[in-house]
Structure formats: structure tokens, C-alpha cells
Amino acid sequence: RTNIATPTNVRATVSTSHSIEVTWELSSSSGITGYTISYSTTVSYTSGGTVTVNDGSATSGTLTNLEEDTTYTITVQATVSSIISNNSNEVLVRTWTDVPSSPP
């Protein structure tokens, strides 16, 4: 790790019961080539993954194919070529529960 600016003001907003929009800010995007959004469930910390955003000027990314009614821990890292920043602060967000389209 090196002195790459760490993303700040990371926020996560539930879009649907299976997706979350993640946004962030960066004090300096000089040389940034992309971002990695890491996520895991708070139950096992193993069910999750990463989403790569290959745009150094990006300030958002979307997590999809998530489990409904599940709390996720999310962090963002900036990348410069193959060098990565420290993790951002963690944010926690819970996806919605699917609502049946009609009563049973």
C-alpha cells in the first residue's frame, strides 16, 4: 500500500431488494485508474465479493444480485495501476425484503 488517497464519504443506498448504489468522494483523483467496492454479509463475512469500477473519475458503483433482507458491510478502495489505497470507512446497509405482488 502507498499514499494513494482513500475514498471518503462512502454512502450506500438500497436501490432494490437485490441491489445497492455506492457513492464516494476523493480529495484528489490524480492518477486514480479505478475503484474496488468490496462487500460481505454481516452474518458470515464470507458471502460477498468485489465490483471493479474502471474509471478514475467515477464516484459511484452498483452492487447487484444481492440477497434480500440482508445486511452488507461495504468498503471502497482507489487504485493506481496495480497499487491500492487503504479501505474507506465501512458502511452498513440492509437490502429490502421482496414484497409479493399480490396477497397469497
Side-chain angles (χ1 to χ4, degrees):
R1 308 223 174 186
T2 187
N3 292 334
I4 299 170
T6 300
T8 58
N9 275 346
V10 175
R11 300 177 199 274
T13 305
V14 176
S15 305
T16 71
S17 57
H18 299 281
S19 65
I20 296 170
E21 178 78 14
V22 181
T23 60
W24 60 85
E25 296 176 5
L26 198 63
S27 58
S28 169
S29 62
S30 178
I32 301 293
T33 56
Y35 299 90
T36 301
I37 305 168
S38 301
Y39 63 98
S40 63
T41 64
T42 58
V43 174
S44 65
Y45 291 98
T46 57
S47 177
T50 59
V51 170
T52 302
V53 178
N54 292 313
D55 179 355
S57 62
T59 56
S60 68
T62 303
L63 307 178
T64 59
N65 299 316
L66 303 176
E67 297 176 38
E68 69 173 87
D69 194 28
T70 302
T71 301
Y72 287 89
T73 301
I74 299 167
T75 59
V76 180
Q77 294 174 297
T79 57
V80 175
S81 298
S82 61
I83 303 168
I84 57 173
S85 73
N86 292 321
N87 281 331
S88 66
N89 290 339
E90 286 185 348
V91 293
L92 293 174
V93 65
R94 186 173 192 91
T95 54
W96 298 328
T97 301
D98 280 332
V99 177
S101 56
S102 62

